[in-house]
Amino acid sequence: MKRLSLAAAVAALAFTAACATATPYQPATLSDRGYSEMKIEDNRFQVEFAGNSLTNRKTVETYLLFRAAELTKQNGYDHFRVVRRDTDANTRVVSSGAAYSPYYDHFYLNYRYFGPRAAYFYDPYRSVRYSRYSFYDPFWDGPLNYREQTSYIASAEIVMGKGPKPDDVAFFDADQVIFNLAGQIQRAAP
């Protein structure tokens, strides 16, 4: 029983640590964070990299370009051309502060039927009386602060080719991209 509890605690700690860091360069998993690709033709791929809210836009786009270069070399090609490229931002507002509770997600609660606004609400032992129209939240006072969380998804359609790279800015030499960006890539821990 103690081993099971220890294993569960270690798994929870690892999950918490994974959520508190930027998305590493890794294949997309069940959480959909990481790189993925889809083959369209023999030399044409749709490549995507999705980061979490701690992964900035530059990192997401760098990982996308690195994955395109890796994919080009894995398929036996020398260079690739970016046909279409896009980066989407997903922004949401989340609550933060001391009043946050994982058990109470601040859903809308109609106090007409429950709580202090209900006609039956009367507490003779409270030093402060709440009238029928005053506000009092018996669970939590609600979140104190809000902040924005933005996550980025970069996608590109690439066409691969063999031989020397054409003299066009839309073409990338796969070997040079891998060599130049390898120092910026943070891989997932094994």
Side-chain angles (χ1 to χ4, degrees), residues 148-179:
E148 283 187 355
Q149 277 188 344
T150 304
S151 59
Y152 297 99
I153 300 174
S155 61
E157 185 176 326
I158 62 169
V159 177
M160 303 172 193
K162 292 185 179 181
K165 176 185 82 128
D167 191 22
D168 185 359
V169 293
F171 286 87
F172 295 88
D173 185 325
D175 288 327
Q176 287 185 13
V177 170
I178 291 172
F179 178 77

Side-chain angles (χ1 to χ4, degrees), residues 120-130:
Y120 61 81
F121 184 82
Y122 176 72
D123 187 358
Y125 301 106
R126 284 184 94 65
S127 60
V128 177
R129 302 267 189 234
Y130 292 96

Side-chain angles (χ1 to χ4, degrees), residues 67-80:
R67 181 60 191 156
E70 271 189 345
L71 198 58
T72 300
K73 294 308 286 179
Q74 287 173 359
N75 286 286
Y77 293 97
D78 300 316
H79 63 270
F80 63 95

Side-chain angles (χ1 to χ4, degrees), residues 44-93:
R44 185 182 293 258
F45 281 81
Q46 172 74 31
V47 185
E48 181 176 284
F49 189 89
N52 60 15
S53 62
L54 298 174
T55 311
N56 63 25
R57 181 180 180 140
K58 180 182 175 186
T59 302
V60 169
E61 291 175 347
T62 300
Y63 287 2
L64 171 76
L65 197 59
F66 190 80
R67 181 60 191 156
E70 271 189 345
L71 198 58
T72 300
K73 294 308 286 179
Q74 287 173 359
N75 286 286
Y77 293 97
D78 300 316
H79 63 270
F80 63 95
R81 180 179 190 271
V82 176
V83 177
R84 184 193 56 79
R85 185 175 180 173
D86 192 22
T87 303
D88 296 326
N90 180 18
T91 303
R92 64 185 182 133
V93 177

Side-chain angles (χ1 to χ4, degrees), residues 115-150:
R117 292 186 185 177
Y120 61 81
F121 184 82
Y122 176 72
D123 187 358
Y125 301 106
R126 284 184 94 65
S127 60
V128 177
R129 302 267 189 234
Y130 292 96
S131 72
R132 184 175 175 171
Y133 301 104
S134 68
F135 179 76
Y136 167 70
D137 186 351
F139 302 108
W140 295 95
D141 290 330
L144 298 178
N145 297 315
Y146 292 93
R147 61 185 172 88
E148 283 187 355
Q149 277 188 344
T150 304

Side-chain angles (χ1 to χ4, degrees), residues 8-35:
V10 168
L13 182 62
F15 179 74
T16 304
C19 293
T21 62
T23 304
Y25 183 78
Q26 65 184 6
T29 59
L30 296 175
S31 67
D32 295 329
R33 301 292 179 231
Y35 63 80

